[in-house]
Amino acid sequence: MIRIQEILDKVSSKHKEADLELIQRAYIFAATAHAGQTRLSGEPYLSHPLAVADTLADMGFDEPTIAAGLLHDTVEDTGVDIDTIADNFGDEVADIVDGVTKISRIPFDNKEEAQAENIRKMILAMSHDMRVIMVKLADRLHNMSTLDFQKAYKQKRIAQETMDIYAPLANRLGLYVIMRRLEDLSFKYLRPDVYNMIVHWLEDHQVVEKRIIENVVSMLKDFLASNGIGGEVYGRIKHKYSIYKKMLAESLTLDEMHDIMAFRVIVKDIKDCYAVLGLVHQQWKPVHGRFKDYISMPKANGYQSLHTTVIGPDGERIEVQIRTEEMHRQAEHGIAAHWLYKEHGRINSKDLAQFSWLNEIFERQREEADSKEFMNSLKMDLFQDEVYVYTPAGDVKELPDGATPLDFAFHIHTKVGQHCAGAKVNGRLVPLSRPLKNGDTVEIITDPARNPNRDWLKIVKTARARNRIQHYIRTEERMRAIQLGREMLEKEGRKVSINVARCAKEGQLSIVAQDMTFDSLDDLYAGVGYAHVTPRKVLNRLYAVLHPGETAQQKAEPVQEQAPAPETPAKTKLPAGGVAISGVDGVLMRFAQCCNPVPGDPIVGYISRGTGITVHRADCPNVPNMEPERLISVHWEGSEEEVVKPYEGGIFVIARNQSGALAAIARVMADAGVNITSATIKALVDGRSTMHFVVEVKNATQLYEVITAIGKLPSVTEAVRDSENADATTEAKA
């Protein structure tokens, strides 16, 4: 367990006149409050706030932040109230603790809503004081590092949330050290088969990689010394999740990976950065299209550096990053670096111009009432790299990579986007779907008669544009639903001799709307138009108001109508048995064969035309190609251990084509209690074979355990979960 003196030493080394007594008092208070509490690992609970405070001290934060790190769980877990924190440590510390404290006492309809509201509150707290998110990230980092002690289904849920929100948020804040650690820890639990494969591969090649790194570092140091440039040189292997992303992006196997080593040169000033770049390109051949100048064009989070990829001395592709000491401090600690130079007071988002994207999130969260849509928008904001384009007047606008002229139009103003009829890029007319590039000059052509349509949702890449388009479409659809609902009620009312229009005018229909918990008559009409409530149900209530003691059916024949859509989600058992998924009552559900989800996998539902809801793994390669409006939130209910009927999963194996290889694989599966339902084997020209197995398992844990065991066989060179039969077009068009 980390000792408080280690934290104090780190703080005093970075803040010469630090108030160490504040941190000491916070430590004693936390130790007393958490006395007798333990973690799942068996360690004293105090080990967690100490680890959080230690991470914050490493990043160079001030004393109130580190004190808040020590105290961040006291309000939630020990019964201490926030006023007590304020009385003992001041409002500044109390505000940070209050911002980090979870909202577990608020009731929610489902887990997704609870998660979304947690994130929303965190974003709101950030707008008040940026240190809130720093404590939260440090808290998440330590929880991820001790995730082994959680149940398997919780490991995957927490890891997915970390990969979706916290790691990209750390990236956008420039906290690359935190981001890399969060990504690798999440990757370990989300794809343990691939993670373990990369770990073993790196272990097998570490001798060669170490030799190459030492050689290149030595050469780079010689370049600096022989040209009178002072600086430091470091070399490393890229982190595991970065390697995995590169494998996916370029469809490479590990043996085909050649760009996994990165070198960093840190010099005194900017002119030395460009001098070193020239020396590197003079010595080694640069790879075309792999040079990026983030010094003259910094990233949105303030990151600056020169990046180049060259063919190194051993014929290996190597990446070289060149930056100044100040740029390096910003690159490693991002927003945290600002606390090293701020004497007093808090820093909020408005203090930092490079985090203007946060202000847009703050504004949008006030507008977006639906938690799920807010989460979708947030993910779009966090995951994107940046592209910089110009207005005709020469103003620079920052957009996410892949953004289109339509995104640019909505970025300028909502009305410009809504009436966008065309665009000129660099003086030439282009389609609205054309991705913008760095340095483009964009001019928008508007037409008052032009309005958004659903096809625009397929074009835009920014959350701002998507939200504005969806808002317009929802408004238009609601107006149509109100009109349709009014017409349906009036038509069916005539069958039972009820003048609905007169009842609306005289107030009787308003009584019915209130009785049925609608806020207004328009809401009632819309409910009928959307088929959330049937005309018969409304007319029966209205008839009871007009004629107490009677019903509309006594007056005339029952109205023939379609069955209503469910007013609230209900739970439906899937045919597989033993595991329930929240869905829609009366709608058929099935598992997608492209990804074969099993209990424990993060999942998502897709409303297919004519075939009900198809359940996919959240990481299924088909999901990004589906219409977002038809994706619904689903989840497994109960624990993985409750499964009573097996689920089908896929395993892909590459093995040396030798006697006994297949028998050994089959034996591993049999020992694990896994049944093989089908297998496809194909011999390759290099003496290896590819094997696709469909197996029956109880849950994701069992599937990944057998994959790991197969990967350890001497004849096996690769064993991963199989998604080979994924067809990216079939489901999207269903």
Side-chain angles (χ1 to χ4, degrees), residues 694-722:
V694 177
V695 298
E696 291 182 331
V697 294
K698 292 187 297 183
N699 50 49
T701 301
Q702 185 184 28
L703 178 60
Y704 284 123
E705 284 176 350
V706 76
I707 289 172
T708 301
I710 292 171
K712 294 179 180 178
L713 293 173
S715 60
V716 173
T717 59
E718 184 175 336
V720 295
R721 192 163 179 181
D722 189 13

mmCIF file of all heavy atoms in Angstrom, residues 694-722:
data_model
loop_
_atom_site.group_PDB
_atom_site.id
_atom_site.type_symbol
_atom_site.label_atom_id
_atom_site.label_comp_id
_atom_site.label_asym_id
_atom_site.label_seq_id
_atom_site.Cartn_x
_atom_site.Cartn_y
_atom_site.Cartn_z
ATOM 1 N N VAL A 694 -17.471 -23.510 -34.501
ATOM 2 C CA VAL A 694 -18.660 -23.017 -33.809
ATOM 3 C C VAL A 694 -18.860 -23.944 -32.621
ATOM 4 O O VAL A 694 -18.961 -25.163 -32.778
ATOM 5 C CB VAL A 694 -19.910 -23.024 -34.715
ATOM 6 C CG1 VAL A 694 -21.131 -22.567 -33.917
ATOM 7 C CG2 VAL A 694 -19.701 -22.121 -35.918
ATOM 8 N N VAL A 695 -18.873 -23.367 -31.417
ATOM 9 C CA VAL A 695 -18.925 -24.174 -30.208
ATOM 10 C C VAL A 695 -20.080 -23.721 -29.326
ATOM 11 O O VAL A 695 -20.616 -22.621 -29.489
ATOM 12 C CB VAL A 695 -17.600 -24.055 -29.417
ATOM 13 C CG1 VAL A 695 -16.439 -24.585 -30.249
ATOM 14 C CG2 VAL A 695 -17.337 -22.612 -29.005
ATOM 15 N N GLU A 696 -20.463 -24.566 -28.391
ATOM 16 C CA GLU A 696 -21.517 -24.240 -27.429
ATOM 17 C C GLU A 696 -20.871 -23.950 -26.079
ATOM 18 O O GLU A 696 -20.127 -24.782 -25.545
ATOM 19 C CB GLU A 696 -22.514 -25.394 -27.297
ATOM 20 C CG GLU A 696 -23.358 -25.610 -28.549
ATOM 21 C CD GLU A 696 -24.363 -26.731 -28.388
ATOM 22 O OE1 GLU A 696 -24.086 -27.670 -27.606
ATOM 23 O OE2 GLU A 696 -25.415 -26.676 -29.037
ATOM 24 N N VAL A 697 -21.167 -22.761 -25.542
ATOM 25 C CA VAL A 697 -20.604 -22.353 -24.257
ATOM 26 C C VAL A 697 -21.695 -21.768 -23.373
ATOM 27 O O VAL A 697 -22.767 -21.395 -23.857
ATOM 28 C CB VAL A 697 -19.478 -21.304 -24.440
ATOM 29 C CG1 VAL A 697 -18.290 -21.911 -25.160
ATOM 30 C CG2 VAL A 697 -19.991 -20.080 -25.195
ATOM 31 N N LYS A 698 -21.383 -21.652 -22.084
ATOM 32 C CA LYS A 698 -22.346 -21.074 -21.142
ATOM 33 C C LYS A 698 -22.287 -19.552 -21.115
ATOM 34 O O LYS A 698 -23.293 -18.889 -20.909
ATOM 35 C CB LYS A 698 -22.090 -21.621 -19.731
ATOM 36 C CG LYS A 698 -22.387 -23.088 -19.560
ATOM 37 C CD LYS A 698 -22.267 -23.502 -18.103
ATOM 38 C CE LYS A 698 -20.848 -23.319 -17.581
ATOM 39 N NZ LYS A 698 -20.719 -23.784 -16.175
ATOM 40 N N ASN A 699 -21.093 -19.008 -21.321
ATOM 41 C CA ASN A 699 -20.920 -17.568 -21.205
ATOM 42 C C ASN A 699 -19.602 -17.149 -21.832
ATOM 43 O O ASN A 699 -18.810 -17.994 -22.274
ATOM 44 C CB ASN A 699 -20.989 -17.115 -19.738
ATOM 45 C CG ASN A 699 -20.087 -17.940 -18.840
ATOM 46 O OD1 ASN A 699 -18.921 -18.145 -19.145
ATOM 47 N ND2 ASN A 699 -20.642 -18.418 -17.741
ATOM 48 N N ALA A 700 -19.371 -15.841 -21.853
ATOM 49 C CA ALA A 700 -18.159 -15.306 -22.471
ATOM 50 C C ALA A 700 -16.911 -15.728 -21.714
ATOM 51 O O ALA A 700 -15.849 -15.948 -22.305
ATOM 52 C CB ALA A 700 -18.236 -13.780 -22.536
ATOM 53 N N THR A 701 -17.014 -15.842 -20.398
ATOM 54 C CA THR A 701 -15.855 -16.250 -19.605
ATOM 55 C C THR A 701 -15.364 -17.619 -20.038
ATOM 56 O O THR A 701 -14.160 -17.837 -20.250
ATOM 57 C CB THR A 701 -16.219 -16.265 -18.108
ATOM 58 O OG1 THR A 701 -16.642 -14.966 -17.714
ATOM 59 C CG2 THR A 701 -15.030 -16.687 -17.261
ATOM 60 N N GLN A 702 -16.289 -18.586 -20.184
ATOM 61 C CA GLN A 702 -15.900 -19.930 -20.617
ATOM 62 C C GLN A 702 -15.302 -19.906 -22.014
ATOM 63 O O GLN A 702 -14.307 -20.589 -22.295
ATOM 64 C CB GLN A 702 -17.120 -20.864 -20.581
ATOM 65 C CG GLN A 702 -16.759 -22.321 -20.908
ATOM 66 C CD GLN A 702 -17.982 -23.228 -20.964
ATOM 67 O OE1 GLN A 702 -19.082 -22.768 -21.265
ATOM 68 N NE2 GLN A 702 -17.797 -24.501 -20.672
ATOM 69 N N LEU A 703 -15.886 -19.079 -22.904
ATOM 70 C CA LEU A 703 -15.377 -18.998 -24.277
ATOM 71 C C LEU A 703 -13.942 -18.483 -24.298
ATOM 72 O O LEU A 703 -13.067 -19.045 -24.958
ATOM 73 C CB LEU A 703 -16.287 -18.092 -25.103
ATOM 74 C CG LEU A 703 -15.869 -17.864 -26.568
ATOM 75 C CD1 LEU A 703 -15.821 -19.178 -27.336
ATOM 76 C CD2 LEU A 703 -16.839 -16.890 -27.240
ATOM 77 N N TYR A 704 -13.681 -17.382 -23.555
ATOM 78 C CA TYR A 704 -12.335 -16.812 -23.567
ATOM 79 C C TYR A 704 -11.324 -17.713 -22.853
ATOM 80 O O TYR A 704 -10.148 -17.746 -23.204
ATOM 81 C CB TYR A 704 -12.350 -15.417 -22.933
ATOM 82 C CG TYR A 704 -12.927 -14.366 -23.838
ATOM 83 C CD1 TYR A 704 -14.013 -13.590 -23.454
ATOM 84 C CD2 TYR A 704 -12.392 -14.154 -25.103
ATOM 85 C CE1 TYR A 704 -14.547 -12.628 -24.301
ATOM 86 C CE2 TYR A 704 -12.917 -13.191 -25.952
ATOM 87 C CZ TYR A 704 -13.995 -12.438 -25.543
ATOM 88 O OH TYR A 704 -14.511 -11.494 -26.394
ATOM 89 N N GLU A 705 -11.781 -18.451 -21.846
ATOM 90 C CA GLU A 705 -10.869 -19.376 -21.159
ATOM 91 C C GLU A 705 -10.403 -20.489 -22.096
ATOM 92 O O GLU A 705 -9.221 -20.844 -22.113
ATOM 93 C CB GLU A 705 -11.559 -19.968 -19.929
ATOM 94 C CG GLU A 705 -11.647 -18.999 -18.752
ATOM 95 C CD GLU A 705 -12.420 -19.574 -17.580
ATOM 96 O OE1 GLU A 705 -13.045 -20.655 -17.761
ATOM 97 O OE2 GLU A 705 -12.417 -18.953 -16.496
ATOM 98 N N VAL A 706 -11.328 -21.020 -22.903
ATOM 99 C CA VAL A 706 -10.930 -22.096 -23.816
ATOM 100 C C VAL A 706 -10.058 -21.547 -24.950
ATOM 101 O O VAL A 706 -9.125 -22.206 -25.417
ATOM 102 C CB VAL A 706 -12.170 -22.845 -24.363
ATOM 103 C CG1 VAL A 706 -12.887 -22.052 -25.427
ATOM 104 C CG2 VAL A 706 -11.769 -24.209 -24.924
ATOM 105 N N ILE A 707 -10.331 -20.298 -25.392
ATOM 106 C CA ILE A 707 -9.484 -19.675 -26.420
ATOM 107 C C ILE A 707 -8.062 -19.493 -25.898
ATOM 108 O O ILE A 707 -7.077 -19.777 -26.596
ATOM 109 C CB ILE A 707 -10.078 -18.324 -26.857
ATOM 110 C CG1 ILE A 707 -11.359 -18.543 -27.674
ATOM 111 C CG2 ILE A 707 -9.077 -17.522 -27.682
ATOM 112 C CD1 ILE A 707 -12.123 -17.275 -27.987
ATOM 113 N N THR A 708 -7.939 -19.023 -24.646
ATOM 114 C CA THR A 708 -6.617 -18.851 -24.045
ATOM 115 C C THR A 708 -5.883 -20.180 -23.949
ATOM 116 O O THR A 708 -4.683 -20.275 -24.239
ATOM 117 C CB THR A 708 -6.747 -18.221 -22.643
ATOM 118 O OG1 THR A 708 -7.395 -16.950 -22.762
ATOM 119 C CG2 THR A 708 -5.381 -18.031 -21.997
ATOM 120 N N ALA A 709 -6.610 -21.248 -23.545
ATOM 121 C CA ALA A 709 -5.994 -22.571 -23.424
ATOM 122 C C ALA A 709 -5.528 -23.093 -24.784
ATOM 123 O O ALA A 709 -4.442 -23.672 -24.903
ATOM 124 C CB ALA A 709 -6.987 -23.545 -22.786
ATOM 125 N N ILE A 710 -6.337 -22.882 -25.828
ATOM 126 C CA ILE A 710 -5.943 -23.315 -27.174
ATOM 127 C C ILE A 710 -4.701 -22.560 -27.629
ATOM 128 O O ILE A 710 -3.782 -23.127 -28.239
ATOM 129 C CB ILE A 710 -7.109 -23.096 -28.166
ATOM 130 C CG1 ILE A 710 -8.265 -24.048 -27.856
ATOM 131 C CG2 ILE A 710 -6.642 -23.297 -29.613
ATOM 132 C CD1 ILE A 710 -9.528 -23.748 -28.640
ATOM 133 N N GLY A 711 -4.640 -21.254 -27.323
ATOM 134 C CA GLY A 711 -3.503 -20.438 -27.733
ATOM 135 C C GLY A 711 -2.186 -20.886 -27.138
ATOM 136 O O GLY A 711 -1.113 -20.568 -27.665
ATOM 137 N N LYS A 712 -2.235 -21.637 -26.030
ATOM 138 C CA LYS A 712 -1.009 -22.111 -25.377
ATOM 139 C C LYS A 712 -0.481 -23.415 -25.966
ATOM 140 O O LYS A 712 0.612 -23.863 -25.601
ATOM 141 C CB LYS A 712 -1.266 -22.290 -23.878
ATOM 142 C CG LYS A 712 -1.539 -20.985 -23.139
ATOM 143 C CD LYS A 712 -1.818 -21.229 -21.665
ATOM 144 C CE LYS A 712 -2.087 -19.913 -20.934
ATOM 145 N NZ LYS A 712 -2.411 -20.138 -19.495
ATOM 146 N N LEU A 713 -1.253 -24.053 -26.866
ATOM 147 C CA LEU A 713 -0.791 -25.307 -27.471
ATOM 148 C C LEU A 713 0.422 -25.053 -28.364
ATOM 149 O O LEU A 713 0.482 -24.037 -29.069
ATOM 150 C CB LEU A 713 -1.919 -25.938 -28.296
ATOM 151 C CG LEU A 713 -3.142 -26.448 -27.503
ATOM 152 C CD1 LEU A 713 -4.236 -26.896 -28.460
ATOM 153 C CD2 LEU A 713 -2.739 -27.601 -26.586
ATOM 154 N N PRO A 714 1.413 -25.927 -28.347
ATOM 155 C CA PRO A 714 2.637 -25.720 -29.135
ATOM 156 C C PRO A 714 2.393 -25.554 -30.633
ATOM 157 O O PRO A 714 3.123 -24.823 -31.305
ATOM 158 C CB PRO A 714 3.456 -26.988 -28.848
ATOM 159 C CG PRO A 714 2.914 -27.517 -27.561
ATOM 160 C CD PRO A 714 1.463 -27.172 -27.547
ATOM 161 N N SER A 715 1.372 -26.214 -31.164
ATOM 162 C CA SER A 715 1.130 -26.175 -32.608
ATOM 163 C C SER A 715 0.343 -24.944 -33.042
ATOM 164 O O SER A 715 0.234 -24.658 -34.239
ATOM 165 C CB SER A 715 0.361 -27.433 -33.040
ATOM 166 O OG SER A 715 -0.888 -27.499 -32.370
ATOM 167 N N VAL A 716 -0.216 -24.197 -32.090
ATOM 168 C CA VAL A 716 -1.103 -23.076 -32.406
ATOM 169 C C VAL A 716 -0.308 -21.770 -32.436
ATOM 170 O O VAL A 716 0.422 -21.452 -31.499
ATOM 171 C CB VAL A 716 -2.255 -22.979 -31.378
ATOM 172 C CG1 VAL A 716 -3.073 -21.720 -31.599
ATOM 173 C CG2 VAL A 716 -3.148 -24.210 -31.483
ATOM 174 N N THR A 717 -0.463 -21.005 -33.509
ATOM 175 C CA THR A 717 0.204 -19.702 -33.617
ATOM 176 C C THR A 717 -0.740 -18.549 -33.335
ATOM 177 O O THR A 717 -0.307 -17.455 -33.024
ATOM 178 C CB THR A 717 0.804 -19.512 -35.027
ATOM 179 O OG1 THR A 717 -0.256 -19.608 -36.002
ATOM 180 C CG2 THR A 717 1.853 -20.580 -35.310
ATOM 181 N N GLU A 718 -2.048 -18.779 -33.440
ATOM 182 C CA GLU A 718 -3.021 -17.725 -33.159
ATOM 183 C C GLU A 718 -4.358 -18.349 -32.808
ATOM 184 O O GLU A 718 -4.797 -19.313 -33.451
ATOM 185 C CB GLU A 718 -3.172 -16.804 -34.371
ATOM 186 C CG GLU A 718 -4.087 -15.622 -34.137
ATOM 187 C CD GLU A 718 -4.127 -14.661 -35.326
ATOM 188 O OE1 GLU A 718 -3.163 -14.650 -36.110
ATOM 189 O OE2 GLU A 718 -5.120 -13.930 -35.456
ATOM 190 N N ALA A 719 -5.009 -17.831 -31.749
ATOM 191 C CA ALA A 719 -6.350 -18.281 -31.367
ATOM 192 C C ALA A 719 -7.120 -17.071 -30.870
ATOM 193 O O ALA A 719 -6.719 -16.434 -29.897
ATOM 194 C CB ALA A 719 -6.285 -19.353 -30.285
ATOM 195 N N VAL A 720 -8.200 -16.730 -31.566
ATOM 196 C CA VAL A 720 -9.002 -15.564 -31.219
ATOM 197 C C VAL A 720 -10.481 -15.889 -31.389
ATOM 198 O O VAL A 720 -10.841 -16.922 -31.962
ATOM 199 C CB VAL A 720 -8.657 -14.326 -32.096
ATOM 200 C CG1 VAL A 720 -7.240 -13.869 -31.850
ATOM 201 C CG2 VAL A 720 -8.873 -14.640 -33.575
ATOM 202 N N ARG A 721 -11.308 -15.001 -30.915
ATOM 203 C CA ARG A 721 -12.746 -15.162 -31.134
ATOM 204 C C ARG A 721 -13.056 -14.921 -32.602
ATOM 205 O O ARG A 721 -12.487 -14.005 -33.212
ATOM 206 C CB ARG A 721 -13.518 -14.184 -30.261
ATOM 207 C CG ARG A 721 -15.008 -14.488 -30.222
ATOM 208 C CD ARG A 721 -15.667 -13.796 -29.065
ATOM 209 N NE ARG A 721 -17.096 -14.070 -29.038
ATOM 210 C CZ ARG A 721 -17.925 -13.571 -28.143
ATOM 211 N NH1 ARG A 721 -17.463 -12.788 -27.180
ATOM 212 N NH2 ARG A 721 -19.209 -13.861 -28.173
ATOM 213 N N ASP A 722 -13.937 -15.709 -33.162
ATOM 214 C CA ASP A 722 -14.175 -15.686 -34.600
ATOM 215 C C ASP A 722 -15.314 -14.754 -34.966
ATOM 216 O O ASP A 722 -16.409 -14.846 -34.423
ATOM 217 C CB ASP A 722 -14.510 -17.102 -35.089
ATOM 218 C CG ASP A 722 -14.543 -17.194 -36.607
ATOM 219 O OD1 ASP A 722 -14.071 -16.249 -37.256
ATOM 220 O OD2 ASP A 722 -15.023 -18.205 -37.132
#
